[in-house]
């Protein structure tokens, strides 16, 4: 999907429009429904690819707990449902990230390389990241389900991700 988007953008690029890094910048077209859809798919694929492998130990632990519960006559949702909740939480974040990217783009807050132009906003996001990471209520839910676990992981990483927009 990313390669298709890259090829599509390359075909629309105006080489004389702007110069950024290494003498070449990606020409970002105005947001259409197709562009928004492609950006959302890109975000979802990227988040799932990055977050699902790190969730494997949690999913295996949940599967073991579910097996033990089944042996004791109790039932828990299958681990596939647990993982689906986790993926749903990150897919929701991906849609939010797409919306934020659109808002930042519309407000001309992004450079041609998709970095925040404002050092003040970047600094504020990094400070918020620090406060959130040090919060004593960071993980209040335990292991009550994939959606909650995904949301907890999402909350842990989302502000850090937003802060990194500025610093990368």
């Amino acid at each position: 999907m990313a390669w298709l988007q890259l090829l599509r953008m390359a075909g629309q690029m105006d080489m004389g429009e702007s110069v950024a890094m290494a003498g070449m910048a990606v020409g970002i077209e105005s947001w259409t429904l197709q562009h928004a859809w492609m950006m959302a798919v890109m975000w979802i694929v990227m988040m799932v690819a990055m977050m699902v492998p790190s969730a494997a130990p949690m999913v295996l632990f949940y599967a073991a707990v579910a097996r033990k519960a089944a042996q004791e006559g109790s039932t828990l949702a299958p681990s596939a449902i647990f993982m689906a909740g986790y993926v749903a939480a990150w897919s929701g974040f991906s849609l939010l990230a797409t919306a934020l990217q659109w808002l930042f783009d519309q407000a001309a807050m992004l450079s041609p390389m998709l970095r925040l132009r404002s050092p003040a906003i970047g600094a504020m996001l990094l400070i918020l990241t620090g406060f959130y990471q040090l919060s004593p209520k960071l993980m209040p839910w335990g292991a009550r389900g994939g959606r909650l676990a995904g949301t907890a992981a999402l909350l842990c990483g989302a502000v850090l991700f937003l802060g990194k927009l500025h610093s990368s």
Side-chain angles (χ1 to χ4, degrees), residues 3 44 57 73 84 92 118 134 138:
W3 285 108
I44 291 169
S118 168
L134 297 173
L138 193 58

Side-chain angles (χ1 to χ4, degrees), residues 28-33 35-37 39-40 43 94-110 114 165:
I28 304 296
E29 78 264 10
S30 62
W31 282 67
T32 62
L33 185 57
H35 182 74
W37 170 251
M39 294 304 293
W43 275 105
S94 298
L95 295 175
L96 176 65
T98 302
L100 283 173
Q101 186 176 353
W102 175 78
L103 286 171
F104 286 158
D105 184 61
Q106 295 302 302
M109 294 173 66
L110 294 177
L114 302 177
L165 276 178

Side-chain angles (χ1 to χ4, degrees), residues 35-99:
H35 182 74
W37 170 251
M38 292 295 283
M39 294 304 293
V41 169
M42 182 270 312
W43 275 105
I44 291 169
V45 169
M46 180 178 66
M47 286 300 163
V48 168
M50 289 188 328
M51 299 310 298
V52 167
S54 67
M58 176 180 55
V59 173
L60 293 172
F61 178 74
Y62 178 84
V65 169
R67 278 191 304 274
K68 185 175 180 185
Q71 291 171 352
E72 295 173 356
S74 195
T75 59
L76 292 175
S79 55
I81 298 296
F82 182 89
M83 181 54 90
Y86 189 82
V87 168
W90 280 105
S91 295
F93 172 77
S94 298
L95 295 175
L96 176 65
T98 302

Side-chain angles (χ1 to χ4, degrees), residues 100-157:
L100 283 173
Q101 186 176 353
W102 175 78
L103 286 171
F104 286 158
D105 184 61
Q106 295 302 302
M109 294 173 66
L110 294 177
S111 73
M113 299 309 293
L114 302 177
R115 292 188 181 139
L116 284 173
R117 292 180 190 261
S118 168
I121 291 175
M124 179 186 68
L125 290 172
L126 286 172
I127 290 168
L128 286 173
T129 300
F131 282 127
Y132 186 76
Q133 291 293 321
L134 297 173
S135 169
K137 295 183 180 185
L138 193 58
M139 292 280 288
W141 305 297
R144 285 196 274 156
R147 186 171 45 88
L148 290 177
T151 302
L154 164 76
L155 292 174
C156 291

